Amino acid sequence: MINVLLLITVTLFFGKVAVKLGLSEVIGQLLASIVLGMSFLNVVHSTHLVHVLSEIGIW
């Protein structure tokens, strides 16, 4: 659960920074997921809750 809260918080922050830089908020959110995910820092691990939330986001 902490991983999900961390991911949401950092994603919102990266989104706001991207807007300040004149980019789309989605670009910042994607960068946050790359940085925290398995591609870079591996802070957020793929759990069942993360998988379910990502499936909801796809709809």
Side-chain angles (χ1 to χ4, degrees):
M1 187 67 170
I2 295 263
N3 287 342
V4 174
L5 292 175
L6 175 68
L7 184 61
I8 290 171
T9 304
V10 173
T11 300
L12 289 173
F13 175 74
F14 271 59
K16 300 299 179 192
V17 170
V19 169
K20 294 280 186 185
L21 294 174
L23 300 170
S24 172
E25 189 171 359
V26 174
I27 300 296
Q29 293 169 347
L30 288 172
L31 286 174
S33 65
I34 290 170
V35 169
L36 291 178
M38 293 182 281
S39 302
F40 194 64
L41 293 178
N42 201 19
V43 173
V44 177
H45 304 285
S46 182
T47 62
H48 180 67
L49 178 61
V50 172
H51 179 72
V52 169
L53 292 175
S54 68
E55 289 294 325
I56 291 171
I58 290 173
W59 285 5

